[in-house]
Amino acid sequence: MTIIDAHHHVWDLSARDQPWLSGPGMATIRRSFSLADLRPSARAAGVDATVLVQTVTVAAETPEMLALAAADPLVAAVVGWTGCAVPT
């Protein structure tokens, strides 16, 4: 049986600010997190693949996540974000 974890975030603070990390109680995770950080925990839990989910509503983040998915079999899918213009 293949086990897919349906929700993970990764982020690189040198590439993009993550404003939600500035809040109280966020100090323990106020750093970059990569697939390399995720891999040991996923492996230990028997997770074969994961779904990456966007961390901020910035359209440029989606192609970055798709590139991660294309390069690493740990990523089975991406839930990205895209902006759209609403007619006024």
Side-chain angles (χ1 to χ4, degrees):
M1 173 172 61
T2 300
I3 297 175
I4 299 177
D5 191 311
H7 192 128
H8 275 105
H9 298 286
V10 297
W11 57 87
D12 180 354
L13 294 178
S14 69
R16 178 168 297 102
D17 186 36
Q18 303 290 321
W20 59 276
L21 285 174
S22 64
M26 298 303 231
T28 57
I29 64 168
R30 195 174 298 128
R31 66 174 184 88
S32 295
F33 279 91
S34 69
L35 292 174
D37 294 311
L38 172 59
R39 192 175 321 283
S41 296
R43 194 173 290 140
V47 171
D48 300 300
T50 188
V51 176
L52 286 186
V53 179
Q54 88 287 340
T55 58
V56 291
T57 55
V58 175
E61 187 180 45
T62 301
E64 294 165 2
M65 290 173 33
L66 290 170
L68 288 174
D72 195 316
L74 182 59
V75 181
V78 168
V79 176
W81 186 88
T82 185
C84 63
V86 176
T88 56

PDB file of all heavy atoms in Angstrom, residues 26-60:
ATOM      1  N   MET A  26       5.625  31.514  17.126  1.00  0.00           N
ATOM      2  CA  MET A  26       6.138  30.936  15.883  1.00  0.00           C
ATOM      3  C   MET A  26       7.659  30.811  15.863  1.00  0.00           C
ATOM      4  O   MET A  26       8.224  30.345  14.882  1.00  0.00           O
ATOM      5  CB  MET A  26       5.680  31.766  14.681  1.00  0.00           C
ATOM      6  CG  MET A  26       4.188  31.800  14.519  1.00  0.00           C
ATOM      7  SD  MET A  26       3.542  30.136  14.367  1.00  0.00           S
ATOM      8  CE  MET A  26       2.575  30.272  12.929  1.00  0.00           C
ATOM      9  N   ALA A  27       8.327  31.202  16.924  1.00  0.00           N
ATOM     10  CA  ALA A  27       9.797  31.216  16.940  1.00  0.00           C
ATOM     11  C   ALA A  27      10.395  29.846  16.621  1.00  0.00           C
ATOM     12  O   ALA A  27      11.419  29.764  15.952  1.00  0.00           O
ATOM     13  CB  ALA A  27      10.306  31.714  18.284  1.00  0.00           C
ATOM     14  N   THR A  28       9.760  28.777  17.070  1.00  0.00           N
ATOM     15  CA  THR A  28      10.341  27.445  16.860  1.00  0.00           C
ATOM     16  C   THR A  28      10.342  27.025  15.398  1.00  0.00           C
ATOM     17  O   THR A  28      11.132  26.159  15.018  1.00  0.00           O
ATOM     18  CB  THR A  28       9.612  26.374  17.691  1.00  0.00           C
ATOM     19  OG1 THR A  28       8.224  26.386  17.355  1.00  0.00           O
ATOM     20  CG2 THR A  28       9.779  26.629  19.175  1.00  0.00           C
ATOM     21  N   ILE A  29       9.481  27.614  14.576  1.00  0.00           N
ATOM     22  CA  ILE A  29       9.472  27.257  13.146  1.00  0.00           C
ATOM     23  C   ILE A  29       9.869  28.430  12.255  1.00  0.00           C
ATOM     24  O   ILE A  29       9.738  28.353  11.042  1.00  0.00           O
ATOM     25  CB  ILE A  29       8.111  26.676  12.703  1.00  0.00           C
ATOM     26  CG1 ILE A  29       6.985  27.689  12.832  1.00  0.00           C
ATOM     27  CG2 ILE A  29       7.813  25.403  13.454  1.00  0.00           C
ATOM     28  CD1 ILE A  29       5.701  27.254  12.142  1.00  0.00           C
ATOM     29  N   ARG A  30      10.382  29.506  12.834  1.00  0.00           N
ATOM     30  CA  ARG A  30      10.792  30.683  12.063  1.00  0.00           C
ATOM     31  C   ARG A  30      12.162  30.439  11.436  1.00  0.00           C
ATOM     32  O   ARG A  30      13.177  31.001  11.815  1.00  0.00           O
ATOM     33  CB  ARG A  30      10.808  31.921  12.946  1.00  0.00           C
ATOM     34  CG  ARG A  30      10.863  33.228  12.164  1.00  0.00           C
ATOM     35  CD  ARG A  30      10.721  34.450  13.056  1.00  0.00           C
ATOM     36  NE  ARG A  30       9.424  34.444  13.718  1.00  0.00           N
ATOM     37  CZ  ARG A  30       9.249  34.582  15.038  1.00  0.00           C
ATOM     38  NH1 ARG A  30      10.269  34.759  15.845  1.00  0.00           N
ATOM     39  NH2 ARG A  30       8.038  34.571  15.555  1.00  0.00           N
ATOM     40  N   ARG A  31      12.173  29.531  10.449  1.00  0.00           N
ATOM     41  CA  ARG A  31      13.366  29.193   9.687  1.00  0.00           C
ATOM     42  C   ARG A  31      12.905  28.557   8.392  1.00  0.00           C
ATOM     43  O   ARG A  31      11.735  28.242   8.235  1.00  0.00           O
ATOM     44  CB  ARG A  31      14.276  28.244  10.459  1.00  0.00           C
ATOM     45  CG  ARG A  31      13.659  26.853  10.689  1.00  0.00           C
ATOM     46  CD  ARG A  31      14.669  25.908  11.335  1.00  0.00           C
ATOM     47  NE  ARG A  31      14.195  24.561  11.487  1.00  0.00           N
ATOM     48  CZ  ARG A  31      14.286  23.587  10.588  1.00  0.00           C
ATOM     49  NH1 ARG A  31      14.820  23.829   9.405  1.00  0.00           N
ATOM     50  NH2 ARG A  31      13.834  22.373  10.831  1.00  0.00           N
ATOM     51  N   SER A  32      13.806  28.354   7.468  1.00  0.00           N
ATOM     52  CA  SER A  32      13.450  27.681   6.214  1.00  0.00           C
ATOM     53  C   SER A  32      13.230  26.194   6.478  1.00  0.00           C
ATOM     54  O   SER A  32      13.883  25.601   7.339  1.00  0.00           O
ATOM     55  CB  SER A  32      14.566  27.864   5.191  1.00  0.00           C
ATOM     56  OG  SER A  32      14.687  29.236   4.851  1.00  0.00           O
ATOM     57  N   PHE A  33      12.290  25.603   5.750  1.00  0.00           N
ATOM     58  CA  PHE A  33      12.030  24.161   5.790  1.00  0.00           C
ATOM     59  C   PHE A  33      12.029  23.636   4.371  1.00  0.00           C
ATOM     60  O   PHE A  33      11.347  24.179   3.504  1.00  0.00           O
ATOM     61  CB  PHE A  33      10.681  23.852   6.446  1.00  0.00           C
ATOM     62  CG  PHE A  33      10.722  23.870   7.942  1.00  0.00           C
ATOM     63  CD1 PHE A  33      10.451  25.024   8.643  1.00  0.00           C
ATOM     64  CD2 PHE A  33      11.045  22.725   8.656  1.00  0.00           C
ATOM     65  CE1 PHE A  33      10.492  25.063  10.019  1.00  0.00           C
ATOM     66  CE2 PHE A  33      11.098  22.740  10.031  1.00  0.00           C
ATOM     67  CZ  PHE A  33      10.819  23.920  10.719  1.00  0.00           C
ATOM     68  N   SER A  34      12.773  22.569   4.133  1.00  0.00           N
ATOM     69  CA  SER A  34      12.896  22.001   2.789  1.00  0.00           C
ATOM     70  C   SER A  34      12.426  20.557   2.775  1.00  0.00           C
ATOM     71  O   SER A  34      12.111  19.970   3.817  1.00  0.00           O
ATOM     72  CB  SER A  34      14.364  22.056   2.348  1.00  0.00           C
ATOM     73  OG  SER A  34      15.126  21.148   3.136  1.00  0.00           O
ATOM     74  N   LEU A  35      12.416  19.987   1.588  1.00  0.00           N
ATOM     75  CA  LEU A  35      12.092  18.565   1.471  1.00  0.00           C
ATOM     76  C   LEU A  35      13.124  17.716   2.207  1.00  0.00           C
ATOM     77  O   LEU A  35      12.780  16.657   2.742  1.00  0.00           O
ATOM     78  CB  LEU A  35      11.999  18.153   0.005  1.00  0.00           C
ATOM     79  CG  LEU A  35      10.821  18.754  -0.759  1.00  0.00           C
ATOM     80  CD1 LEU A  35      10.910  18.389  -2.241  1.00  0.00           C
ATOM     81  CD2 LEU A  35       9.498  18.297  -0.169  1.00  0.00           C
ATOM     82  N   ALA A  36      14.353  18.168   2.261  1.00  0.00           N
ATOM     83  CA  ALA A  36      15.383  17.443   3.012  1.00  0.00           C
ATOM     84  C   ALA A  36      15.040  17.394   4.503  1.00  0.00           C
ATOM     85  O   ALA A  36      15.334  16.401   5.171  1.00  0.00           O
ATOM     86  CB  ALA A  36      16.751  18.086   2.798  1.00  0.00           C
ATOM     87  N   ASP A  37      14.408  18.447   5.021  1.00  0.00           N
ATOM     88  CA  ASP A  37      13.958  18.441   6.414  1.00  0.00           C
ATOM     89  C   ASP A  37      12.796  17.470   6.612  1.00  0.00           C
ATOM     90  O   ASP A  37      12.687  16.826   7.654  1.00  0.00           O
ATOM     91  CB  ASP A  37      13.510  19.844   6.847  1.00  0.00           C
ATOM     92  CG  ASP A  37      14.645  20.846   6.881  1.00  0.00           C
ATOM     93  OD1 ASP A  37      15.695  20.527   7.470  1.00  0.00           O
ATOM     94  OD2 ASP A  37      14.492  21.933   6.306  1.00  0.00           O
ATOM     95  N   LEU A  38      11.929  17.394   5.628  1.00  0.00           N
ATOM     96  CA  LEU A  38      10.747  16.537   5.706  1.00  0.00           C
ATOM     97  C   LEU A  38      11.072  15.054   5.534  1.00  0.00           C
ATOM     98  O   LEU A  38      10.483  14.204   6.202  1.00  0.00           O
ATOM     99  CB  LEU A  38       9.742  16.967   4.626  1.00  0.00           C
ATOM    100  CG  LEU A  38       8.520  16.089   4.412  1.00  0.00           C
ATOM    101  CD1 LEU A  38       7.698  15.973   5.686  1.00  0.00           C
ATOM    102  CD2 LEU A  38       7.695  16.618   3.259  1.00  0.00           C
ATOM    103  N   ARG A  39      12.017  14.755   4.670  1.00  0.00           N
ATOM    104  CA  ARG A  39      12.284  13.375   4.261  1.00  0.00           C
ATOM    105  C   ARG A  39      12.486  12.389   5.429  1.00  0.00           C
ATOM    106  O   ARG A  39      11.863  11.332   5.448  1.00  0.00           O
ATOM    107  CB  ARG A  39      13.468  13.328   3.305  1.00  0.00           C
ATOM    108  CG  ARG A  39      13.627  11.996   2.605  1.00  0.00           C
ATOM    109  CD  ARG A  39      14.731  12.010   1.563  1.00  0.00           C
ATOM    110  NE  ARG A  39      14.827  13.236   0.798  1.00  0.00           N
ATOM    111  CZ  ARG A  39      14.010  13.591  -0.204  1.00  0.00           C
ATOM    112  NH1 ARG A  39      13.035  12.794  -0.578  1.00  0.00           N
ATOM    113  NH2 ARG A  39      14.180  14.729  -0.834  1.00  0.00           N
ATOM    114  N   PRO A  40      13.329  12.681   6.427  1.00  0.00           N
ATOM    115  CA  PRO A  40      13.519  11.692   7.504  1.00  0.00           C
ATOM    116  C   PRO A  40      12.232  11.380   8.275  1.00  0.00           C
ATOM    117  O   PRO A  40      11.972  10.229   8.608  1.00  0.00           O
ATOM    118  CB  PRO A  40      14.564  12.341   8.419  1.00  0.00           C
ATOM    119  CG  PRO A  40      15.234  13.376   7.590  1.00  0.00           C
ATOM    120  CD  PRO A  40      14.223  13.831   6.576  1.00  0.00           C
ATOM    121  N   SER A  41      11.439  12.403   8.550  1.00  0.00           N
ATOM    122  CA  SER A  41      10.181  12.174   9.267  1.00  0.00           C
ATOM    123  C   SER A  41       9.195  11.392   8.422  1.00  0.00           C
ATOM    124  O   SER A  41       8.485  10.515   8.921  1.00  0.00           O
ATOM    125  CB  SER A  41       9.553  13.507   9.689  1.00  0.00           C
ATOM    126  OG  SER A  41      10.387  14.164  10.602  1.00  0.00           O
ATOM    127  N   ALA A  42       9.130  11.710   7.133  1.00  0.00           N
ATOM    128  CA  ALA A  42       8.240  10.985   6.226  1.00  0.00           C
ATOM    129  C   ALA A  42       8.649   9.518   6.163  1.00  0.00           C
ATOM    130  O   ALA A  42       7.806   8.615   6.271  1.00  0.00           O
ATOM    131  CB  ALA A  42       8.256  11.619   4.836  1.00  0.00           C
ATOM    132  N   ARG A  43       9.923   9.291   6.002  1.00  0.00           N
ATOM    133  CA  ARG A  43      10.439   7.920   5.924  1.00  0.00           C
ATOM    134  C   ARG A  43      10.123   7.148   7.209  1.00  0.00           C
ATOM    135  O   ARG A  43       9.655   6.010   7.173  1.00  0.00           O
ATOM    136  CB  ARG A  43      11.939   7.945   5.655  1.00  0.00           C
ATOM    137  CG  ARG A  43      12.501   6.616   5.221  1.00  0.00           C
ATOM    138  CD  ARG A  43      13.956   6.735   4.798  1.00  0.00           C
ATOM    139  NE  ARG A  43      14.063   7.479   3.533  1.00  0.00           N
ATOM    140  CZ  ARG A  43      15.005   8.368   3.251  1.00  0.00           C
ATOM    141  NH1 ARG A  43      15.944   8.651   4.120  1.00  0.00           N
ATOM    142  NH2 ARG A  43      15.019   8.979   2.091  1.00  0.00           N
ATOM    143  N   ALA A  44      10.362   7.768   8.364  1.00  0.00           N
ATOM    144  CA  ALA A  44      10.119   7.111   9.653  1.00  0.00           C
ATOM    145  C   ALA A  44       8.640   6.775   9.849  1.00  0.00           C
ATOM    146  O   ALA A  44       8.308   5.780  10.503  1.00  0.00           O
ATOM    147  CB  ALA A  44      10.612   8.000  10.787  1.00  0.00           C
ATOM    148  N   ALA A  45       7.757   7.593   9.274  1.00  0.00           N
ATOM    149  CA  ALA A  45       6.319   7.363   9.404  1.00  0.00           C
ATOM    150  C   ALA A  45       5.769   6.447   8.312  1.00  0.00           C
ATOM    151  O   ALA A  45       4.571   6.171   8.287  1.00  0.00           O
ATOM    152  CB  ALA A  45       5.582   8.701   9.380  1.00  0.00           C
ATOM    153  N   GLY A  46       6.623   6.012   7.396  1.00  0.00           N
ATOM    154  CA  GLY A  46       6.169   5.145   6.316  1.00  0.00           C
ATOM    155  C   GLY A  46       5.461   5.873   5.194  1.00  0.00           C
ATOM    156  O   GLY A  46       4.760   5.269   4.392  1.00  0.00           O
ATOM    157  N   VAL A  47       5.654   7.186   5.116  1.00  0.00           N
ATOM    158  CA  VAL A  47       5.027   7.998   4.072  1.00  0.00           C
ATOM    159  C   VAL A  47       5.859   7.890   2.796  1.00  0.00           C
ATOM    160  O   VAL A  47       7.056   8.131   2.807  1.00  0.00           O
ATOM    161  CB  VAL A  47       4.900   9.472   4.527  1.00  0.00           C
ATOM    162  CG1 VAL A  47       4.449  10.367   3.387  1.00  0.00           C
ATOM    163  CG2 VAL A  47       3.943   9.570   5.704  1.00  0.00           C
ATOM    164  N   ASP A  48       5.199   7.499   1.701  1.00  0.00           N
ATOM    165  CA  ASP A  48       5.872   7.343   0.410  1.00  0.00           C
ATOM    166  C   ASP A  48       5.936   8.642  -0.381  1.00  0.00           C
ATOM    167  O   ASP A  48       6.861   8.849  -1.171  1.00  0.00           O
ATOM    168  CB  ASP A  48       5.147   6.290  -0.428  1.00  0.00           C
ATOM    169  CG  ASP A  48       5.143   4.945   0.267  1.00  0.00           C
ATOM    170  OD1 ASP A  48       6.233   4.413   0.525  1.00  0.00           O
ATOM    171  OD2 ASP A  48       4.042   4.429   0.553  1.00  0.00           O
ATOM    172  N   ALA A  49       4.939   9.493  -0.202  1.00  0.00           N
ATOM    173  CA  ALA A  49       4.865  10.746  -0.962  1.00  0.00           C
ATOM    174  C   ALA A  49       4.003  11.730  -0.195  1.00  0.00           C
ATOM    175  O   ALA A  49       3.292  11.365   0.744  1.00  0.00           O
ATOM    176  CB  ALA A  49       4.292  10.499  -2.353  1.00  0.00           C
ATOM    177  N   THR A  50       4.078  12.979  -0.619  1.00  0.00           N
ATOM    178  CA  THR A  50       3.338  14.030   0.064  1.00  0.00           C
ATOM    179  C   THR A  50       2.737  15.005  -0.950  1.00  0.00           C
ATOM    180  O   THR A  50       3.133  15.022  -2.115  1.00  0.00           O
ATOM    181  CB  THR A  50       4.263  14.775   1.054  1.00  0.00           C
ATOM    182  OG1 THR A  50       3.481  15.664   1.844  1.00  0.00           O
ATOM    183  CG2 THR A  50       5.341  15.556   0.336  1.00  0.00           C
ATOM    184  N   VAL A  51       1.806  15.792  -0.481  1.00  0.00           N
ATOM    185  CA  VAL A  51       1.213  16.862  -1.279  1.00  0.00           C
ATOM    186  C   VAL A  51       1.708  18.182  -0.690  1.00  0.00           C
ATOM    187  O   VAL A  51       1.472  18.463   0.488  1.00  0.00           O
ATOM    188  CB  VAL A  51      -0.329  16.815  -1.245  1.00  0.00           C
ATOM    189  CG1 VAL A  51      -0.931  17.990  -1.997  1.00  0.00           C
ATOM    190  CG2 VAL A  51      -0.835  15.487  -1.795  1.00  0.00           C
ATOM    191  N   LEU A  52       2.411  18.969  -1.506  1.00  0.00           N
ATOM    192  CA  LEU A  52       2.865  20.285  -1.058  1.00  0.00           C
ATOM    193  C   LEU A  52       1.732  21.284  -1.205  1.00  0.00           C
ATOM    194  O   LEU A  52       1.045  21.310  -2.224  1.00  0.00           O
ATOM    195  CB  LEU A  52       4.047  20.767  -1.905  1.00  0.00           C
ATOM    196  CG  LEU A  52       5.390  20.118  -1.663  1.00  0.00           C
ATOM    197  CD1 LEU A  52       6.467  20.828  -2.492  1.00  0.00           C
ATOM    198  CD2 LEU A  52       5.765  20.126  -0.204  1.00  0.00           C
ATOM    199  N   VAL A  53       1.560  22.115  -0.187  1.00  0.00           N
ATOM    200  CA  VAL A  53       0.508  23.128  -0.180  1.00  0.00           C
ATOM    201  C   VAL A  53       1.172  24.492  -0.015  1.00  0.00           C
ATOM    202  O   VAL A  53       2.096  24.650   0.787  1.00  0.00           O
ATOM    203  CB  VAL A  53      -0.489  22.863   0.967  1.00  0.00           C
ATOM    204  CG1 VAL A  53      -1.573  23.928   1.006  1.00  0.00           C
ATOM    205  CG2 VAL A  53      -1.102  21.468   0.812  1.00  0.00           C
ATOM    206  N   GLN A  54       0.692  25.485  -0.778  1.00  0.00           N
ATOM    207  CA  GLN A  54       1.275  26.824  -0.743  1.00  0.00           C
ATOM    208  C   GLN A  54       1.276  27.370   0.671  1.00  0.00           C
ATOM    209  O   GLN A  54       0.471  26.970   1.501  1.00  0.00           O
ATOM    210  CB  GLN A  54       0.538  27.771  -1.687  1.00  0.00           C
ATOM    211  CG  GLN A  54      -0.657  28.499  -1.105  1.00  0.00           C
ATOM    212  CD  GLN A  54      -1.895  27.654  -0.865  1.00  0.00           C
ATOM    213  OE1 GLN A  54      -2.070  26.589  -1.421  1.00  0.00           O
ATOM    214  NE2 GLN A  54      -2.774  28.143  -0.017  1.00  0.00           N
ATOM    215  N   THR A  55       2.209  28.286   0.934  1.00  0.00           N
ATOM    216  CA  THR A  55       2.297  28.895   2.258  1.00  0.00           C
ATOM    217  C   THR A  55       1.839  30.350   2.274  1.00  0.00           C
ATOM    218  O   THR A  55       1.467  30.858   3.312  1.00  0.00           O
ATOM    219  CB  THR A  55       3.738  28.836   2.805  1.00  0.00           C
ATOM    220  OG1 THR A  55       4.598  29.504   1.894  1.00  0.00           O
ATOM    221  CG2 THR A  55       4.184  27.400   2.995  1.00  0.00           C
ATOM    222  N   VAL A  56       1.919  31.006   1.125  1.00  0.00           N
ATOM    223  CA  VAL A  56       1.481  32.395   1.011  1.00  0.00           C
ATOM    224  C   VAL A  56       0.729  32.550  -0.317  1.00  0.00           C
ATOM    225  O   VAL A  56       0.923  31.774  -1.243  1.00  0.00           O
ATOM    226  CB  VAL A  56       2.663  33.401   1.065  1.00  0.00           C
ATOM    227  CG1 VAL A  56       3.275  33.435   2.448  1.00  0.00           C
ATOM    228  CG2 VAL A  56       3.710  33.086   0.034  1.00  0.00           C
ATOM    229  N   THR A  57      -0.115  33.555  -0.395  1.00  0.00           N
ATOM    230  CA  THR A  57      -0.883  33.777  -1.621  1.00  0.00           C
ATOM    231  C   THR A  57      -0.089  34.628  -2.605  1.00  0.00           C
ATOM    232  O   THR A  57      -0.437  35.763  -2.901  1.00  0.00           O
ATOM    233  CB  THR A  57      -2.248  34.421  -1.308  1.00  0.00           C
ATOM    234  OG1 THR A  57      -2.017  35.614  -0.551  1.00  0.00           O
ATOM    235  CG2 THR A  57      -3.145  33.488  -0.529  1.00  0.00           C
ATOM    236  N   VAL A  58       0.984  34.033  -3.106  1.00  0.00           N
ATOM    237  CA  VAL A  58       1.860  34.663  -4.085  1.00  0.00           C
ATOM    238  C   VAL A  58       1.951  33.713  -5.271  1.00  0.00           C
ATOM    239  O   VAL A  58       2.410  32.577  -5.122  1.00  0.00           O
ATOM    240  CB  VAL A  58       3.269  34.918  -3.482  1.00  0.00           C
ATOM    241  CG1 VAL A  58       4.224  35.450  -4.529  1.00  0.00           C
ATOM    242  CG2 VAL A  58       3.173  35.864  -2.296  1.00  0.00           C
ATOM    243  N   ALA A  59       1.475  34.160  -6.418  1.00  0.00           N
ATOM    244  CA  ALA A  59       1.420  33.273  -7.586  1.00  0.00           C
ATOM    245  C   ALA A  59       2.779  32.693  -7.953  1.00  0.00           C
ATOM    246  O   ALA A  59       2.866  31.557  -8.416  1.00  0.00           O
ATOM    247  CB  ALA A  59       0.813  34.015  -8.776  1.00  0.00           C
ATOM    248  N   ALA A  60       3.860  33.419  -7.720  1.00  0.00           N
ATOM    249  CA  ALA A  60       5.202  32.938  -8.077  1.00  0.00           C
ATOM    250  C   ALA A  60       5.609  31.712  -7.276  1.00  0.00           C
ATOM    251  O   ALA A  60       6.502  30.969  -7.688  1.00  0.00           O
ATOM    252  CB  ALA A  60       6.224  34.048  -7.879  1.00  0.00           C
TER     253      ALA A  60
END
